[in-house]
Amino acid sequence: MKRVFFGCIAAILVCVWVGVASAEYKKTMKLASALPMDHPYMVGSKKFADLIKDRTGGRIVIKLYPSNQLGKGEREMTEGIQQGAIDLLITSTGPLGGFCPSINILDFPFLFRDFEHVDRVLDGSIGRRLLDDFEKADIKGLAFWENGFRHLTNNRVAVRNVGDAKGLKIRTMENKVHLAAWKAAGLNPTPMAWGEVYTALQQKVIDGQENPVAVFYSSKFWEVQKHFSLTQHVYSPSPLLMSKKTFYAMPKDDQALFVKTALEVAKFQRKINRDAEEAKLKEIAAKGVAVVRNVDKESFRKAMAPVYGAFSDQFSRADIEAIMNAR
Ligand code: PAF
């Protein structure tokens, strides 16, 4: 009886202490991304910032820094997260393998069939394990938001199959799996920070690039690209990352609130991204870009397949199959 009584007192004291600690904690945080305010990354970020402000009664304010304001690309901004100079970052997995190698498993071509498959993997135990792995790199992985399925665009030729794309000089993300996949397919890939891509396309230093519809649209790439082929060669997830320093400096209640809110906004962010894709594609076509819808994806899949073997020392067949067969 005595033990139960003292147990209850201890529990009440802990609750009061956490409550006070949360009530006293105040911070203004910086959330960065490479993309502008109209891109789903930032629409999701705005919702996240609004919810956190509401739910903490204004104690935590998140300021938004779109369009590479805090670094010339996602690699540099991820370094900012590690150092604690940036508090939150929404980024593709592009450069993240250099910080947390296990995340590269999501970068293999034709790994995901469709959005349903994506959600099953990223919202299940595999996704959670990959987010938790970021801890080793002094980063807190909050949730998987979305960039989308990537497609090839260029200035030279209407690409209907992998043969049409041979020899094209394209920009890739700073990602070794992507780089190897494009080399295997017979293109001439160059890794480049995102901040340099528009100018490189404009000056014809490169012929093309590959990204989801929403990125092409928000970056106004119709000004510098003539052909858009729906290759859907790889799914590009976007983890919402937080500086470990900032995360663990918050009281426990706020930590839980950030994780819960990030997961909640993930559902919203993926939905608005997917729902708007077809309308954006139609607008891109209306701007004069030749959109090739019936691409022979099988030709790309076959040409890129050797990349799975090339990284077999890092990613086991069993782990790859666990993703492919997730039902
Ligand atoms: O191509 C990239 O680098 C990324 O997809 C981008 C556009 C920065 C969005 O995460």
Side-chain angles (χ1 to χ4, degrees):
M1 188 62 189
K2 220 173 178 181
R3 212 184 292 155
V4 172
F5 174 76
F6 282 114
C8 288
I9 296 285
I12 291 166
L13 285 176
V14 167
C15 288
V16 168
W17 180 78
V18 168
V20 168
S22 281
E24 280 172 359
Y25 180 82
K26 286 196 176 79
K27 184 150 172 86
T28 299
M29 299 183 184
K30 292 180 185 161
L31 186 156
S33 104
L35 296 171
M37 283 308 290
D38 68 347
H39 184 273
Y41 274 11
M42 293 311 295
V43 179
S45 299
K46 167 92 174 62
K47 183 160 183 92
F48 182 74
D50 288 347
L51 286 173
I52 292 290
K53 191 173 170 197
D54 271 13
R55 290 173 180 179
T56 61
R59 284 185 298 107
I60 303 182
V61 173
I62 299 175
K63 290 208 165 150
L64 306 178
Y65 294 84
S67 305
N68 275 342
Q69 284 177 34
L70 300 185
K72 71 172 179 221
E74 293 179 331
R75 186 171 46 76
E76 211 172 284
M77 290 190 279
T78 308
E79 283 162 10
I81 284 284
Q82 263 188 330
Q83 292 149 8
I86 301 174
D87 301 295
L88 290 140
L89 172 68
I90 173 73
T91 173
S92 72
T93 54
L96 295 181
F99 300 85
C100 178
S102 58
I103 195 75
N104 272 149
I105 198 166
L106 299 177
D107 292 315
F108 282 92
F110 299 100
L111 181 67
F112 292 100
R113 290 178 297 280
D114 49 31
F115 288 128
E116 210 190 318
H117 183 195
V118 163
D119 293 347
R120 221 174 301 131
V121 173
L122 298 186
D123 298 338
S125 57
I126 298 175
R128 190 69 255 166
R129 216 176 320 126
L130 289 169
L131 286 172
D132 290 346
D133 270 356
F134 280 107
E135 293 261 351
K136 295 175 207 147
D138 282 339
I139 296 171
K140 180 78 190 166
L142 293 180
F144 279 108
W145 293 9
E146 172 169 286
N147 196 2
F149 279 100
R150 301 178 80 92
H151 307 287
L152 179 66
T153 77
N154 82 95
N155 233 343
R156 282 185 182 272
V157 58
V159 173
R160 295 196 165 78
N161 56 52
V162 76
D164 295 334
K166 288 249 181 299
L168 282 180
K169 190 165 182 195
I170 62 159
R171 173 268 178 177
T172 63
M173 297 197 286
E174 298 164 282
N175 179 301
K176 59 186 178 182
V177 179
H178 285 209
L179 196 61
W182 287 113
K183 276 190 185 149
L187 283 80
N188 184 1
T190 310
M192 193 182 282
W194 176 246
E196 293 159 19
V197 180
Y198 186 95
T199 312
L201 290 169
Q202 193 177 40
Q203 294 175 351
K204 302 205 169 23
V205 176
I206 46 175
D207 302 315
Q209 61 91 47
E210 47 78 58
N211 251 303
V213 173
V215 171
F216 188 98
Y217 182 86
S218 69
S219 308
K220 300 188 170 49
F221 273 3
W222 56 79
E223 295 168 355
V224 288
Q225 292 281 264
K226 289 196 188 112
H227 304 279
F228 192 121
S229 299
L230 285 161
T231 48
Q232 209 180 328
H233 52 274
V234 70
Y235 176 75
S236 190
S238 298
L240 177 66
L241 302 178
M242 189 160 182
S243 156
K244 215 166 131 179
K245 286 187 189 133
T246 312
F247 184 80
Y248 288 107
M250 295 193 296
K252 286 246 166 0
D253 285 10
D254 288 336
Q255 292 174 17
L257 178 70
F258 267 61
V259 173
K260 176 179 160 268
T261 308
L263 290 169
E264 189 182 318
V265 175
K267 294 207 181 332
F268 161 83
Q269 193 270 347
R270 289 184 210 164
K271 183 165 173 14
I272 55 157
N273 194 38
R274 294 167 191 182
D275 286 354
E277 201 164 270
E278 184 54 33
K280 284 180 180 166
L281 202 53
K282 286 200 173 111
E283 262 195 69
I284 288 168
K287 300 272 185 201
V289 176
V291 177
V292 181
R293 287 179 181 266
N294 56 343
V295 174
D296 175 4
K297 290 190 210 121
E298 191 51 22
S299 70
F300 280 91
R301 197 189 59 74
K302 276 198 190 130
M304 291 178 168
V307 86
Y308 283 87
F311 290 94
S312 59
D313 55 333
Q314 279 176 56
F315 303 104
S316 73
R317 192 65 215 167
D319 285 347
I320 297 273
E321 275 173 10
I323 295 179
M324 282 179 161
N325 301 329
R327 308 243 167 240

